[in-house]
Amino acid sequence: CNDKVWAYYTQDNKYLNSGKVIAVGAEKSYVEFDDGDKGPIPNGWIHKMVRFGGGTTRFGGSHLIHWDTTRAFEGKFEANDFVAHDGDRREISKSDIYKLGEMWQCNDKVWAYYTQDNKYLNSGKVIAVGAEKSYVEFDDGDKGPIPNGWIHKMVRFGGGTTRFGGSHLIHWDTTRAFEGKFEANDFVAHDGDRREISKSDIYKLGEMW
């Protein structure tokens, strides 16, 4: 509740509007939009406002899985199985899946690689942020400056779903956003419109709220 979100207001809308979730339901949640509209919205149409950015994949994974104790692995989620980058497979629930590449800030709980040789990530907390490296205290007792690209905020898998095949959302104007794809410095909306933009205008699609 109270998360800022992008959401489709009606089935006919081809764009999303900015607003705030004020009540959460099993299938629909009540959203007050910044343009004055309000009402119950299907949960799959709602996306938490999270700007594009964060850590990068080291092993070609699309998600992270909490594997055991303080460790997580990159891999891919297939039906009910998670396939780690080293080929290990495990049947899991979505509650064990975390998003890869989530933007983080000081005091956030994170998954991060501790060394170049590590093939897994450890849980920890960012306690100081730098331009290229940030200081992480890990839950297993290790600590130190970690390259920013190795750090991923802990955000469980879930949230809204794409309606038009987009991979991201762009804040287009005032209270509206569109689904589309980010190509170099251009965002291509689902209706074909193209615009040169900066990453500060890009939001993630499917964020849990």
Side-chain angles (χ1 to χ4, degrees):
C1 245
N2 296 317
D3 277 340
K4 287 289 291 180
V5 297
W6 295 111
Y8 291 100
Y9 182 50
T10 71
Q11 179 69 44
D12 294 333
N13 278 33
K14 302 294 191 276
Y15 56 86
L16 306 91
N17 284 104
S18 58
K20 182 179 179 181
V21 176
I22 63 168
V24 176
E27 296 183 359
K28 292 186 176 184
S29 296
Y30 201 90
V31 177
E32 287 187 347
F33 290 95
D34 295 336
D35 62 5
D37 288 326
K38 60 183 72 174
I41 305 298
N43 289 341
W45 294 6
I46 305 171
H47 306 260
K48 184 177 180 180
M49 281 192 184
V50 176
R51 294 190 187 275
F52 181 67
T56 55
T57 178
R58 287 186 59 198
F59 298 100
S62 59
H63 297 87
L64 303 173
I65 180 179
H66 182 194
W67 198 259
D68 54 31
T69 56
T70 64
R71 298 193 308 162
F73 281 85
E74 286 187 33
K76 299 182 185 298
F77 188 48
E78 300 175 359
N80 291 324
D81 282 359
F82 185 90
V83 184
H85 65 81
D86 60 1
D88 284 350
R89 179 184 292 265
R90 176 184 293 181
E91 185 174 352
I92 54 167
S93 68
K94 284 189 177 179
S95 64
D96 292 318
I97 299 292
Y98 288 79
K99 296 195 172 189
L100 187 151
E102 291 302 300
M103 184 175 285
W104 44 270
Q105 56 190 2
C106 199
N107 295 317
D108 276 343
K109 287 288 292 179
V110 297
W111 295 110
Y113 291 101
Y114 182 50
T115 70
Q116 180 69 44
D117 293 334
N118 279 32
K119 301 294 192 277
Y120 55 86
L121 307 91
N122 284 103
S123 57
K125 183 179 181 181
V126 176
I127 63 168
V129 176
E132 296 183 359
K133 292 185 176 183
S134 296
Y135 202 90
V136 177
E137 288 187 345
F138 291 94
D139 295 337
D140 62 5
D142 289 325
K143 60 182 72 174
I146 305 297
N148 290 340
W150 293 3
I151 305 171
H152 306 260
K153 183 177 180 179
M154 282 191 183
V155 177
R156 293 188 188 275
F157 180 68
T161 55
T162 178
R163 287 184 59 199
F164 298 100
S167 59
H168 296 88
L169 304 174
I170 179 179
H171 182 194
W172 198 259
D173 54 33
T174 57
T175 63
R176 298 193 309 162
F178 282 85
E179 287 187 31
K181 299 182 185 298
F182 187 49
E183 301 175 358
N185 290 323
D186 283 1
F187 185 89
V188 184
H190 64 81
D191 59 2
D193 283 351
R194 179 184 291 265
R195 176 182 293 183
E196 185 175 351
I197 54 166
S198 68
K199 283 189 176 178
S200 63
D201 292 317
I202 299 292
Y203 289 79
K204 297 196 171 185
L205 188 153
E207 288 303 298
M208 184 174 285
W209 43 270

